[in-house]
Amino acid sequence: MRSIETPHFLIHDGRLQPRFPSGISNELADYIAAELVPLGLVPDGSAFEQIFVDAVLATQPNGTDPMQAWAAFYRNTLRRLRRGERGGTGCVATFARIYAHALSLIRGTTVLDVGCCFGFLPLLAAERNPRLRVIGTDLVPAAVTLAGHISRSQGGRARFAAADLLALPIADEAVDTVLAVHVLEHLPAEASALALAQLRRVARRRVVIAVPLEEVPDPTFGHVRAFDLAGLARIGDDPDAPGWSQAVHAADGGWLVLDRRGRGPTATLPDWLGRRCPN
């Protein structure tokens, strides 16, 4: 039986055994990319996601409640995200800075994070500012179910619901700030206009978009489109969307901030939206 050993993984007879003596966190993404991708074991984004899930679950003995594995994953990741690691280059250190920057750009008291994945940003937003009402959405129901479970188990205030960015089931101008952090690079170029239209539609005051700056899209992480700052500015400059101003800047990637002109006080989340969220 063939075995492959890397610093953080043992692959034996097709079975993946992670080795994280200090505890598993979202830095798992770095280890998969650095150690398994060069071996040809991660052909695309779907394979990456499956390996990621398998690695998290494999950290607990057979028969253990899988939620214990996910709880440890969240606990370790959130602890590092809260602490921040200035100058760090790993996934968790980088996203600690990205999330902190996103939080600094929020306006108002109602926030929607679209494409939230594990929900780290909504969890941090609700935790750091008790005035905020925060909802995270993602296309994958299992992701928001997991994030909602973690939020409830920690007594958190963030809520989560499954939703498609291209057809958000949310009323016009329902939230003050809409966040889309590292989402657009997963959509084909022809979907950008519809995505921006949806984000603008539901935002009362501000839309904040963050993307990685790449020369070519990285298929390992499911990227299908690469952005530079000029390209980011172009997608925000829509003649069919009057009444908006835009600004583009770089900070651990590219940022596009769209502001609806002449909007001040906060919006109120409609009751039906709260009822749709599992927590």
Side-chain angles (χ1 to χ4, degrees), residues 33 37 45 185-186 214 216-226:
V37 169
E185 66 271 18
H186 297 277
E214 302 174 302
V216 294
D218 188 342
T220 300
F221 298 104
H223 298 178
V224 298
R225 185 178 183 186

Side-chain angles (χ1 to χ4, degrees), residues 21-229:
S22 61
I24 195 165
S25 74
N26 203 44
E27 205 151 46
L28 170 62
D30 293 332
Y31 302 144
I32 294 174
E35 300 172 25
L36 302 185
V37 169
L39 298 175
L41 300 176
V42 193
D44 53 31
S46 295
F48 183 96
E49 292 172 5
Q50 188 60 59
I51 291 172
F52 195 106
V53 171
D54 290 345
V56 172
L57 297 180
T59 59
Q60 294 294 319
N62 290 335
T64 300
D65 181 356
M67 284 310 305
Q68 292 186 23
W70 285 114
F73 167 78
Y74 271 87
R75 183 170 58 250
N76 294 334
T77 303
L78 287 169
R79 181 174 62 246
R80 293 184 58 190
L81 289 172
R82 293 184 188 109
R83 182 175 70 231
E85 299 172 22
R86 184 175 298 177
T89 58
C91 175
V92 176
T94 300
F95 270 91
R97 296 191 299 271
I98 290 171
Y99 292 156
H101 192 58
L103 294 177
S104 76
L105 295 171
I106 290 173
R107 298 294 180 268
T109 60
T110 53
V111 180
L112 173 68
D113 182 27
V114 177
C116 68
C117 191
F118 288 117
F120 297 132
L121 182 51
L123 291 169
L124 291 170
E127 174 185 293
R128 293 184 184 183
N129 187 343
R131 295 178 58 248
L132 293 181
R133 294 185 65 188
V134 186
I135 291 178
T137 65
D138 197 272
L139 184 63
V140 181
V144 291
T145 297
L146 175 61
H149 177 91
I150 295 296
S151 182
R152 290 191 300 274
S153 69
Q154 296 179 349
R157 296 181 303 103
R159 294 176 291 165
F160 297 88
D164 184 352
L165 164 58
L166 302 182
L168 290 171
I170 298 172
D172 295 356
E173 301 184 38
V175 291
D176 291 317
T177 297
V178 179
L179 307 173
V181 177
H182 284 228
V183 176
L184 294 191
E185 66 271 18
H186 297 277
L187 300 178
E190 58 270 21
S192 291
L194 179 55
L196 266 290
Q198 285 288 298
L199 297 175
R200 285 191 179 100
R201 180 182 65 78
V202 302
R204 174 176 171 80
R205 297 181 61 178
R206 170 169 283 191
V207 174
V208 177
I209 294 168
V211 295
L213 298 177
E214 302 174 302
E215 292 185 1
V216 294
D218 188 342
T220 300
F221 298 104
H223 298 178
V224 298
R225 185 178 183 186
F227 285 95
D228 56 19
L229 289 181

